[in-house]
Amino acid sequence: MNNLIPLIKEAFENHQEVSIKVKGSSMRPFFVDNETIVTLAPFSGELQKLKVYLYTLNDTYILHRYIKTKEEKHYFRGDALYPFEIVEKENILGVVEEMKYKGEIIPCHDTSYRNNVRYFLIKKSIKLFIRRIIKGK
């Protein structure tokens, strides 16, 4: 994706949306490697919980979900991952507006999609809590 970044930035500067194919498995089960296509819009304004953003971190471009802001730090995480990434707001380039998977277009503001994300993240939090209890941490 890094070779597409100049084109994506140029499109964002012209207030255009961009569609790209997702690479990697960090956003499973919602985004599938080489199968899900996301439409990105330029980011401006405020972060919205549970939305997916394109940002840069250590010279790498990443699509992950915004989780929270605490003490002026913005926390993101891949759906299939447990560790958070702390991202500066100026490093956020775009926001995912919709995704296309197996011919179906799913708007990210869709209530059903957002409820599925909430349910998945609650289930993930419970699993993490149980792991901590079992490991004694």
Side-chain angles (χ1 to χ4, degrees), residues 38 61 105 127:
V38 296
Y61 292 87
I105 296 174
K127 283 181 184 178

Side-chain angles (χ1 to χ4, degrees), residues 72-130:
E72 300 300 317
K73 295 180 181 177
H74 308 293
Y75 292 80
F76 289 79
R77 177 170 58 197
D79 290 341
L81 305 175
Y82 285 100
F84 287 105
E85 295 140 349
I86 299 172
V87 179
E88 302 290 327
K89 200 168 187 178
E90 58 267 12
N91 292 334
I92 301 170
L93 304 174
V95 58
V96 175
E97 293 295 329
E98 68 181 23
M99 66 179 132
K100 185 176 182 179
Y101 180 67
K102 292 188 177 182
E104 182 180 359
I105 296 174
I106 304 165
C108 291
H109 63 275
D110 179 71
T111 303
S112 177
Y113 167 76
R114 291 183 61 81
N115 285 339
N116 284 340
V117 169
R118 283 186 188 98
Y119 172 73
F120 174 80
L121 293 177
I122 288 169
K123 194 167 75 171
K124 183 177 174 179
S125 296
I126 291 169
K127 283 181 184 178
L128 183 60
F129 179 72
I130 291 170

Side-chain angles (χ1 to χ4, degrees), residues 5 16 20-22 31 35 37 44 46 57-59 62 71 85 91-92 96 98 100-103 105-106 117 128 130:
I5 293 302
Q16 297 174 329
I20 60 170
K21 192 177 279 191
V22 173
F31 297 171
E35 293 182 32
I37 297 172
S44 63
E46 296 301 313
L57 186 67
N58 302 324
D59 297 322
I62 302 170
E71 298 173 6
E85 295 140 349
N91 292 334
I92 301 170
V96 175
E98 68 181 23
K100 185 176 182 179
Y101 180 67
K102 292 188 177 182
I105 296 174
I106 304 165
V117 169
L128 183 60
I130 291 170

Side-chain angles (χ1 to χ4, degrees), residues 34-48:
N34 276 323
E35 293 182 32
T36 304
I37 297 172
V38 296
T39 300
L40 295 159
F43 170 70
S44 63
E46 296 301 313
L47 293 165
Q48 296 178 22

Side-chain angles (χ1 to χ4, degrees), residues 14-53:
N14 294 317
H15 307 287
Q16 297 174 329
E17 293 185 343
V18 177
S19 293
I20 60 170
K21 192 177 279 191
V22 173
K23 301 286 185 194
S25 60
S26 66
M27 287 300 293
R28 281 191 76 85
F30 295 100
F31 297 171
V32 179
D33 180 42
N34 276 323
E35 293 182 32
T36 304
I37 297 172
V38 296
T39 300
L40 295 159
F43 170 70
S44 63
E46 296 301 313
L47 293 165
Q48 296 178 22
K49 284 188 178 182
L50 306 183
K51 280 213 163 203
V52 177
Y53 293 86

